[in-house]
Amino acid sequence: MISFSKKAILGFSLFFIFSFCSIFAENWFVCLGSFRVKQNADNRVAELNKHDIPAFVYETESEGQILYRVLLNEKHTDRKEARSVRDKYSNNTTIKQLGITGLWICAVEEELPELQEPVLLEEPVEFEEPPVVVLQENKTETIPVSKEKPYSVLVRSYKEELAAENTKDRLVEEEVDAYVLGKYDDTSLFTFDVHAGAFEEEEQTEELIEKLEDLGIEDVEVSDFNEISDAVEKFDEMVKTQPVVYDAGEETIPSVIPAAVQNCIKEFPINKNFQIEQITILDFDNINEDEFESLEEDFDVFETDLSMANAVSVTLYRDELFGKEVVVFIAQGAEGQFNNSDFEPENQNGILYDYKIRGGILKSKVFEVENKIYLFGTTENGATRIEMLADNFTMDDFNTFMNNSYSDSSMLIYPQLRKNLFILPDNNETERKFQAFVLEKINKSYVEEKNYQDWAWGVYGHWCATAYLKQEDEPINVTFFDLDYDYNAQKIHKIFMDVHELGFELEDNRKEMVHNTQGWYLRNYRIKELSFTNKSYIIATDTGVDSILGLDDLHALADDLKIW
């Protein structure tokens, strides 16, 4: 039992504590990032303000080091209320698309300048312009691996931060202690590795690896922080000393892309867990049968008669985390062009399904064979045919994929599509006809073809897209090497120009200004090519063999691209 004197002391102590708190009341703010370099914090504030989320930079000190925190312009005197607002913004579409994760609340005691009226985001914001992401240092507060606990499990590696963050979030949902480590070296440039756990001994990773395998996550490996710490430190040094920018691309489909092709694009499944790996699109209204015979091989596994279509596309989607793939074929024709009555594979009984897609109801027959699912479907108006082949799927997996993939219409999930297909020229004074488009991730065979040159390693893991156009009945093409970050593109194109400048001194192999940017003109194998860099792209416009089109036409195409 507590004596009267002890009760009195306890009561006085509590009174003193509450009185002290009321005198020195704290203001609580939602914090969206903490930076050692003020310019990085200012960049983040500008980024948020651009999307109508008022924020400001607050300078503070922690463990003897000056930090610059980015705080929302919304002051709270109640900690619980601040946490509620933090949770709301953590799930906000704009915040996620800007790549901002790990929001927290912090107390500020000093007198602050008068704050702007906050903008409360009850509904997800529709982007007027795609976001621009500036790389930040590794988030030390969320990274458990260290030289004391050097061993972790490397789950996946990416060239682009947003993809790594998405995989990390999926692992956290499965109760896996996951985090992202940014790395940099002069050959591979920026990479983003998704790790899990932190252990003193290598053997301690075995239980975590077994848990990941039980979840269906394979192809993981043990990582030693001592072997990668230099690359992690180099990453932090790079992003502290210069802004490394990621541009998410355009959202408006250029008018050079015909309506039939646009309708194919609009029916692409959109699912953040299934990223696009490869696309081939053909516009049959503007190509001859023999012009793209090699590309048509991509369509051989499908049942639809290509001669019935105005435009077709085939797209490979991959869920890298769980090893699932979906190939999607889409054909666009006139109303009533397609029907399902003529398709029934031998010795297989299909299940009839109606799926809601953007063009209406897809009347489908679905066939399940071992761990593969095959869909054959047509819209009710008969204008669109869709075939799908899903590998490593159960029927439940497939229905989840279909139900989730047509509920979100935001192409922001697929920057590789917007950043390459959507920046083609609009039809201005020069008439150009769209013929075909091919996009694919660059693999190691490309590095082998280029004799393992340093610049080829820098390109590996990124994207290459080629749009085939026709001008005055002559082919004129544009190729985009999308290297995700502006720093990558500028560095690699400079290496490319330096190599060519040392090797040749010819009239048709020289520096050439393109839209106030230093580029390179090359005439090789009877083809003319003009290359340059802008934002995260290395871009090349080129003619066909012995074409009547010349350098002026290549300049005009470059000037008309929607990248400037």
Side-chain angles (χ1 to χ4, degrees):
M1 178 170 296
I2 301 176
S3 67
F4 176 81
S5 60
K6 287 184 178 179
K7 286 182 180 179
I9 293 171
L10 179 61
F12 178 79
S13 299
L14 292 174
F15 173 79
F16 177 79
I17 291 170
F18 285 122
S19 300
F20 183 88
C21 289
S22 64
I23 294 170
F24 296 91
E26 293 175 314
N27 297 316
W28 293 94
F29 288 83
V30 177
C31 186
L32 298 99
S34 185
F35 306 88
R36 294 189 181 95
V37 178
K38 187 174 186 298
Q39 183 61 53
N40 290 340
D42 290 338
N43 289 341
R44 176 67 85 194
V45 168
E47 188 176 64
L48 291 162
N49 290 342
K50 181 179 178 181
H51 296 288
D52 296 325
I53 304 178
F56 66 98
V57 176
Y58 171 65
E59 182 178 329
T60 186
E61 185 175 342
S62 177
E63 297 181 355
Q65 185 175 38
I66 299 297
L67 295 176
Y68 301 93
R69 288 179 173 166
V70 175
L71 307 181
L72 290 177
N73 279 17
E74 189 172 347
K75 181 172 64 176
H76 309 278
T77 56
D78 180 71
R79 181 185 297 190
K80 185 176 179 181
E81 178 185 299
R83 285 175 175 163
S84 175
V85 173
R86 175 205 61 191
D87 293 342
K88 180 181 70 176
Y89 276 90
S90 295
N91 294 316
N92 177 263
T93 302
T94 303
I95 295 296
K96 287 182 176 180
Q97 293 295 345
L98 290 174
I100 302 173
T101 59
L103 279 65
W104 72 96
I105 63 170
C106 60
V108 176
E109 296 178 4
E110 296 101 291
E111 193 67 28
L112 292 169
E114 186 175 347
L115 303 178
Q116 302 174 26
E117 228 13 74
V119 176
L120 298 180
L121 303 176
E122 298 298 339
E123 299 295 333
V125 170
E126 293 293 332
F127 287 97
E128 293 182 2
E129 297 180 21
V132 174
V133 177
V134 180
L135 289 186
Q136 310 295 340
E137 299 167 69
N138 284 294
K139 301 169 184 174
T140 54
E141 67 275 8
T142 62
I143 296 174
V145 72
S146 65
K147 293 184 178 180
E148 289 72 34
K149 290 186 175 182
Y151 295 102
S152 63
V153 178
L154 174 59
V155 182
R156 293 292 182 268
S157 183
Y158 300 90
K159 288 290 188 174
E160 188 264 300
E161 185 184 30
L162 295 179
E165 288 289 345
N166 182 55
T167 294
K168 183 260 301 182
D169 291 343
R170 295 177 70 189
L171 288 168
V172 170
E173 288 175 4
E174 299 287 350
E175 298 184 350
V176 175
D177 177 23
Y179 49 95
V180 176
L181 270 180
K183 299 190 307 184
Y184 178 89
D185 67 65
D186 290 328
T187 300
S188 299
L189 306 182
F190 295 96
T191 56
F192 302 87
D193 293 347
V194 181
H195 291 252
F199 306 95
E200 294 180 2
E201 304 293 336
E202 184 174 356
E203 292 76 15
Q204 294 175 297
T205 63
E206 294 175 0
E207 184 176 340
L208 177 55
I209 291 173
E210 185 177 341
K211 176 180 179 178
L212 292 169
E213 290 176 346
D214 289 343
L215 290 171
I217 301 169
E218 300 179 346
D219 300 322
V220 302
E221 59 186 72
V222 176
S223 172
D224 183 346
F225 185 71
N226 293 307
E227 296 176 358
I228 64 173
S229 59
D230 288 347
V232 174
E233 290 175 10
K234 182 67 172 175
F235 176 92
D236 289 340
E237 178 186 331
M238 291 290 293
V239 301
K240 276 195 298 184
T241 56
Q242 58 188 315
V244 181
V245 179
Y246 172 90
D247 186 343
E250 295 288 332
E251 287 189 89
T252 305
I253 301 177
S255 59
V256 72
I257 300 177
V261 176
Q262 292 194 32
N263 287 336
C264 284
I265 296 169
K266 290 173 183 176
E267 292 302 345
F268 281 7
I270 298 173
N271 189 313
K272 68 178 181 178
N273 295 334
F274 286 81
Q275 289 293 302
I276 292 175
E277 291 285 311
Q278 185 176 0
I279 299 175
T280 300
I281 302 174
L282 298 179
D283 175 22
F284 287 121
D285 291 337
N286 288 321
I287 63 175
N288 298 322
E289 291 183 7
D290 57 345
E291 282 185 303
F292 293 94
E293 188 174 347
S294 61
L295 295 182
E296 289 186 28
E297 294 175 1
D298 293 340
F299 300 87
D300 286 347
V301 299
F302 300 103
E303 298 292 330
T304 302
D305 183 354
L306 298 183
S307 66
M308 300 171 65
N310 298 108
V312 293
S313 69
V314 61
T315 306
L316 169 63
Y317 296 80
R318 179 173 291 138
D319 179 353
E320 284 196 45
L321 189 59
F322 290 99
K324 299 179 186 296
E325 290 187 350
V326 183
V327 180
V328 180
F329 165 89
I330 301 174
Q332 184 68 30
E335 286 195 15
Q337 188 75 58
F338 305 110
N339 65 74
N340 287 352
S341 61
D342 57 348
F343 181 74
E344 191 72 48
E346 293 182 8
N347 304 321
Q348 294 182 28
N349 295 317
I351 304 171
L352 298 180
Y353 274 98
D354 288 348
Y355 292 108
K356 179 71 175 68
I357 62 173
R358 276 173 285 281
I361 300 297
L362 187 71
K363 311 291 289 186
S364 306
K365 294 179 181 179
V366 181
F367 305 88
E368 185 174 8
V369 182
E370 297 179 348
N371 63 340
K372 292 180 172 61
I373 305 293
Y374 181 60
L375 174 145
F376 187 91
T378 302
T379 53
E380 290 180 304
N381 65 0
T384 304
R385 163 70 52 76
I386 296 180
E387 298 183 50
M388 295 188 188
L389 181 61
D391 190 25
N392 196 20
F393 271 70
T394 65
M395 197 63 218
D396 287 342
D397 291 337
F398 187 75
N399 282 327
T400 299
F401 171 81
M402 290 297 292
N403 292 331
N404 290 345
S405 300
Y406 288 96
S407 60
D408 186 348
S409 61
S410 172
M411 280 286 183
L412 286 170
I413 292 172
Y414 298 128
Q416 63 268 39
L417 181 62
R418 298 187 319 279
K419 293 174 68 183
N420 293 282
L421 181 59
F422 287 17
I423 60 173
L424 290 176
D426 275 316
N427 277 323
N428 299 321
E429 295 180 2
T430 303
E431 183 179 352
R432 303 183 187 94
K433 294 180 179 179
F434 177 95
Q435 294 185 290
F437 176 83
V438 177
L439 178 144
E440 57 188 348
K441 187 176 285 187
I442 300 165
N443 57 35
K444 286 187 178 177
S445 65
Y446 179 85
V447 183
E448 295 171 4
E449 292 171 9
K450 303 303 178 182
N451 297 317
Y452 299 95
Q453 295 189 58
D454 283 352
W455 64 266
W457 278 112
V459 170
Y460 164 60
H462 293 284
W463 296 90
C464 178
T466 300
Y468 299 89
L469 307 172
K470 211 161 204 180
Q471 178 179 321
E472 300 176 21
D473 287 327
E474 292 274 347
I476 186 167
N477 310 319
V478 56
T479 297
F480 306 93
F481 287 91
D482 179 13
L483 304 182
D484 287 304
Y485 300 97
D486 54 355
Y487 174 90
N488 294 349
Q490 292 160 14
K491 180 181 177 69
I492 291 176
H493 193 250
K494 184 179 185 306
I495 295 173
F496 169 83
M497 290 195 297
D498 289 346
V499 169
H500 280 70
E501 191 168 21
L502 289 172
F504 302 93
E505 291 183 3
L506 301 173
E507 177 66 22
D508 289 337
N509 189 53
R510 64 177 191 269
K511 290 181 178 178
E512 179 81 13
M513 294 300 294
V514 185
H515 210 92
N516 298 320
T517 300
Q518 183 67 72
W520 193 268
Y521 174 61
L522 175 66
R523 183 167 184 162
N524 196 15
Y525 302 110
R526 296 148 53 200
I527 292 174
K528 309 175 190 81
E529 178 186 280
L530 181 65
S531 68
F532 55 98
T533 181
N534 184 55
K535 297 182 180 178
S536 65
Y537 313 96
I538 297 173
I539 304 156
T541 57
D542 64 79
T543 67
V545 175
D546 294 331
S547 174
I548 63 171
L549 301 178
L551 180 57
D552 289 344
D553 297 295
L554 298 179
H555 272 289
L557 175 55
D559 288 341
D560 288 345
L561 297 175
K562 295 174 64 179
I563 59 172
W564 307 105

